[in-house]
Amino acid sequence: MAIGVVMDFAGGTLQHYDQLIARMGFAAYGAGATGGLFHWVAQTEDGVRVTDVWESREACDAFVDRRLGPLSAELGLPRPSNVTYYEVHNFLTAGEI
């Protein structure tokens, strides 16, 4: 089942995010992680919010455990101050009707 994940990083910056994305080999508006269906990020009043849709909770957890967590720690980036998971009822992708 697809899941949505919302992560808030109080005190995080878009520079932190950009540094991590570059370190993982991703490019803006490019392909994302295996198992990831959709990803966006925005500056908030007190930090950064990342919102993802994943194929499954297992795919999300595997990515966090193997790549995101270790690289974030290596770079000294803040851990999320809040993480919320949602069961996704539906999602749409780019295309034409």
Side-chain angles (χ1 to χ4, degrees):
M1 168 184 287
I3 62 159
V5 183
V6 178
M7 296 174 283
D8 291 311
F9 295 86
T13 67
L14 292 177
Q15 291 78 20
H16 290 141
Y17 171 82
D18 291 342
Q19 183 181 18
L20 182 60
I21 290 299
R23 185 69 181 267
M24 287 191 284
F26 297 134
Y29 303 98
T34 300
L37 301 174
F38 191 79
H39 171 88
W40 66 269
V41 62
Q43 185 74 52
T44 62
E45 288 184 15
D46 66 343
V48 172
R49 173 170 283 173
V50 175
T51 304
D52 290 326
V53 176
W54 288 88
E55 291 175 348
S56 67
R57 175 74 183 256
E58 293 77 20
C60 174
D61 290 347
F63 179 74
V64 170
D65 292 346
R66 293 185 187 132
R67 292 199 63 202
L68 182 63
L71 281 176
S72 294
E74 185 179 307
L75 294 170
L77 301 179
R79 297 180 55 90
S81 51
N82 187 47
V83 179
T84 308
Y85 296 90
Y86 300 92
E87 290 184 6
V88 172
H89 173 72
N90 186 36
F91 63 93
L92 302 173
T93 61
E96 292 184 30
I97 294 179

